[in-house]
Amino acid sequence: MRLARTLIVPALVIGCTQHPGTPPAQGLSAFRLPAINLTVGSDPVMTASASASSNLGDPRRMAARPAVAAQVVAQYEFVTEQLREPRFVGVSPLAQAQMERGRAALRAVLGIAEAAPPAQVIAQLTALAGALQQGNVAAAERVLAAAPFTRPPGDVLATLSAMPFVPDAARAASFTDQQLNRAGPWAID
């Protein structure tokens, strides 16, 4: 039984992550393993926050991986919006302010309209990541040719392929991830 726990738990933890994953719509997903008395859960905000913090803190993880870079920026947008939800009232207000500043910096780097609605940005970046993941450059260019993108598709693809370090976004994602990892009302029981 001990060997089974040793092998199953890491596999479940790996399977529950979104790296890079898609920012989910809402809610928690969890399941229980009664044989070993373990509840495995995934909070989409926590998962997206960890991914954004990890990848933006070390852009080498995204080097030559434009699909991952697009997804990480979508996750960052997702977390920025989710921090407005009442369940995150205990998170430092500085986290929201820093995430907003980081979002502006990321949008400037990628040529995304500053006033674009976050839901549209998330949807477009997620569609872009999906097209790139499938190797469909034509579909990716169609996504990039539409609003909210303001730069030529080739420029955005080049930026995503060599994603630069964006200090404001990296600091904000790291701080927010630390805040979310403190015990709070948003934690999974």
Side-chain angles (χ1 to χ4, degrees):
M1 185 64 165
R2 177 176 252 180
L3 178 61
R5 284 185 188 176
T6 304
L7 296 174
I8 292 173
V9 173
L12 290 172
V13 171
I14 291 168
C16 290
T17 62
Q18 297 176 303
H19 189 72
T22 301
Q26 291 285 335
L28 302 172
S29 59
F31 60 93
R32 185 150 188 75
L33 298 173
I36 57 174
N37 195 26
L38 173 70
T39 300
V40 179
S42 176
D43 181 322
V45 177
M46 302 279 287
T47 303
S49 175
S51 176
S53 175
S54 174
N55 286 290
L56 291 171
D58 184 3
R60 293 173 296 181
R61 295 171 184 250
M62 299 180 284
R65 298 173 68 199
V68 172
Q71 194 61 53
V72 166
V73 177
Q75 289 172 326
Y76 187 96
E77 288 268 351
F78 174 72
V79 172
T80 303
E81 285 307 296
Q82 290 300 302
L83 287 177
R84 299 173 191 272
E85 294 295 316
R87 77 179 181 126
F88 295 112
V89 71
V91 173
S92 170
L94 292 174
Q96 183 66 39
Q98 288 180 1
M99 291 293 284
E100 295 281 345
R101 186 174 29 255
R103 172 170 43 197
L106 283 170
R107 286 183 175 196
V109 164
L110 292 177
I112 297 173
E114 187 177 328
Q120 179 188 18
V121 174
I122 292 167
Q124 292 290 98
L125 286 167
T126 302
L128 174 62
L132 291 170
Q133 185 68 36
Q134 295 172 358
N136 190 340
V137 178
E141 288 176 341
R142 280 192 300 276
V143 170
L144 291 170
F149 294 98
T150 60
R151 291 179 42 209
D155 290 354
V156 178
L157 287 174
T159 300
L160 289 169
S161 292
M163 190 69 180
F165 180 67
V166 182
D168 285 343
R171 278 191 299 271
S174 176
F175 180 70
T176 298
D177 195 44
Q178 291 170 11
Q179 288 290 304
L180 292 175
N181 280 301
R182 293 179 310 128
W186 52 86
I188 298 174
D189 291 330

